[in-house]
Amino acid sequence: MVSTKTIIAASLLSIFIATGCAVSSSYNEEELGLRKTEIYGEKTTTGELTSYSKVAAGESKMIPRAFENAPPMIPHDVEGMLDITKENNSCLGCHVPGVAEVVKATPTPKSHLYDMRTGKTLAEVSQARYNCTACHAPQSNNEPLVKNEFAPEYRKVDGAAKSNLLDSLNEGVK
Ligand code: HEC
Ligand code: HEC
């Protein structure tokens, strides 16, 4: 026969385990979300500081393209190069084909000297591509909060370092 004392002890033990488990799997507000601060206000929430490349153009290391024909990230310091204005686009000063080869910068690709509407090749960079930083951005050196599992597959061996959008733009379209 199981004694009453044993039954009481066993039920006390199971209550203890049950509540113990419940406590360990509950979260307080600060633990919710990725930012780990209170969720009803912004007072204690501060963004992580950005840390952009300080390496001068000409000395930086190019960043592999995120996927085939992705706009490459800007690997060098852009201090003093922005804003891009109607009168002044310093990016073009180095990246325009002809100059780029001399300063060892990647020249703007064929797609930038092309009018997508008329399908005509242009003598200079298309106005639609004038504002370089609308598509090309510097990369801040911060740890991502969530790991990115995406792995690009390039169809050409040099696909991580070169683009050819204009060559493949109308692939499959006839
Ligand atoms: C003084 C010349 C110079 C200026 C001005 C300049 N760049 Fe560059 N850029 C380079 C060079 C050189 C490289 C190659 C990496 C290196 O050597 O630092 C490069 C690399 C890049 C790349 C990477 C290309 C690739 O193939 O991965 C991008 C994108 C880029 N620059 C965009 C810009 C933008 C946008 C601006 C204007 C805000 C700009 N650059 C201004 C010289 C320059
Ligand atoms: C509308 C978006 C857009 C704008 C604006 C833009 N680019 Fe690009 N850029 C791209 C994309 C997308 C690619 C990659 C695909 C390709 O070849 O067009 C690219 C590729 C490049 C490359 C790499 C070329 C290669 O051979 O690998 C350079 C260098 C570049 N752009 C410079 C510039 C400069 C300098 C400007 C401003 C004058 C500029 N881009 C404006 C979208 C843009």
Side-chain angles (χ1 to χ4, degrees):
M1 266 290 277
V2 185
S3 76
T4 325
K5 265 190 188 168
T6 318
I7 295 173
I8 293 171
S11 28
L12 278 179
L13 187 69
S14 52
I15 289 169
F16 179 73
I17 292 170
T19 50
C21 287
V23 168
S24 70
S25 65
S26 77
Y27 296 91
N28 62 33
E29 284 167 11
E30 281 73 21
E31 290 172 294
L32 295 169
L34 293 172
R35 62 187 201 177
K36 308 288 179 231
T37 54
E38 63 151 333
I39 54 175
Y40 295 115
E42 298 282 314
K43 277 203 199 98
T44 57
T45 310
T46 45
E48 200 180 331
L49 290 180
T50 49
S51 152
Y52 293 114
S53 171
K54 289 265 168 274
V55 185
E59 277 152 36
S60 69
K61 252 187 97 227
M62 295 201 252
I63 305 164
R65 278 118 172 98
F67 49 87
E68 184 173 299
N69 284 326
M73 308 289 302
I74 308 174
H76 54 71
D77 195 1
V78 290
E79 186 71 39
M81 298 177 184
L82 301 171
D83 294 339
I84 294 168
T85 63
K86 191 155 121 321
E87 291 73 31
N88 186 28
N89 185 337
S90 53
C91 314
L92 277 178
C94 285
H95 286 277
V96 75
V99 179
E101 294 80 358
V102 182
V103 298
K104 296 204 166 58
T106 316
T108 50
K110 280 188 285 173
S111 60
H112 293 31
L113 297 129
Y114 182 79
D115 187 328
M116 294 272 175
R117 289 197 185 130
T118 58
K120 287 207 174 87
T121 303
L122 304 167
E124 51 187 35
V125 166
S126 159
Q127 288 300 300
R129 304 279 186 168
Y130 186 79
N131 190 13
C132 317
T133 49
C135 304
H136 299 278
Q139 174 87 67
S140 177
N141 189 16
N142 298 78
E143 272 306 311
L145 292 176
V146 179
K147 196 171 168 272
N148 190 344
E149 304 280 348
F150 177 78
E153 279 180 18
Y154 312 100
R155 291 178 296 175
K156 287 190 176 159
V157 270
D158 59 356
K162 279 201 160 42
S163 55
N164 64 328
L165 184 68
L166 205 55
D167 301 337
S168 52
L169 188 65
N170 288 325
E171 262 177 11
V173 182
K174 258 266 169 274

